[in-house]
Amino acid sequence: AALEDFDGAVDLDSSNPVLYVYRGMINAQLNDVQASGSDYLQFFSLIQVSPVQHAEIRSGQQVSLNVDQGVLFVLPFTAKAGQYASALAVSRSGNVNPLMVLIDSQGNPLAGDDDSGGSTSALILDYPIEADGQYNLLVGHSLGGYTGQVILQIQISDTPTQ
């Protein structure tokens, strides 16, 4: 019923970014990672003012991001069909609450997460890659805080996490 309520609220005020975060959380609880990714991507599009293009990241690599209000990091990576992509974004300083979206090379949202990594950490776990290509992780902030250092780690594997 909460999803229906938020759908109605979005229909009434589609320019309110907060609605997309809450609807994304509901979709995540319903295990609809694509819908949550779509909602979080819409949130980013409504609040983001300055995207920061990062160099391509590799499996096992850890990067530090200085997140601030309205800043969105775009982190490209390459994966092959049949692999699994996992990423974890953890707040290391400040009051930032990381939010993360996985998109394909055409900008379509595939998955998104706000807090399922524990505390305020964002986690995308074992997303099945369907096609060879370039993907992007979008990392910014959610509603719980927007300034601080975020540590992001990505893992691309041939088998899902045990």
Side-chain angles (χ1 to χ4, degrees), residues 21 25 28 33 42 66 75 92 120 146:
V21 171
M25 290 174 165
V33 296
Q42 185 62 31
N66 291 316
L75 299 109
R92 285 292 180 215
T120 62
Y146 56 81

Side-chain angles (χ1 to χ4, degrees), residues 33-34 36-38 40-41 44 57 75-79 84-87 99-105 107-113 123-130 134-139 154 156:
V33 296
Q34 192 281 328
S36 64
S38 181
Y40 297 144
L41 184 60
F44 281 151
I57 55 176
L75 299 109
F77 68 95
T78 302
Y84 297 86
S86 297
L99 181 64
M100 185 167 43
V101 177
L102 172 64
I103 62 172
D104 65 17
S105 60
N108 299 310
L110 303 173
D113 190 69
L123 174 66
I124 294 173
L125 185 62
D126 293 331
Y127 183 84
I129 300 296
E130 294 182 5
Q134 183 85 30
Y135 294 83
N136 288 289
L137 280 173
L138 307 180
V139 180
I154 185 169
I156 308 299

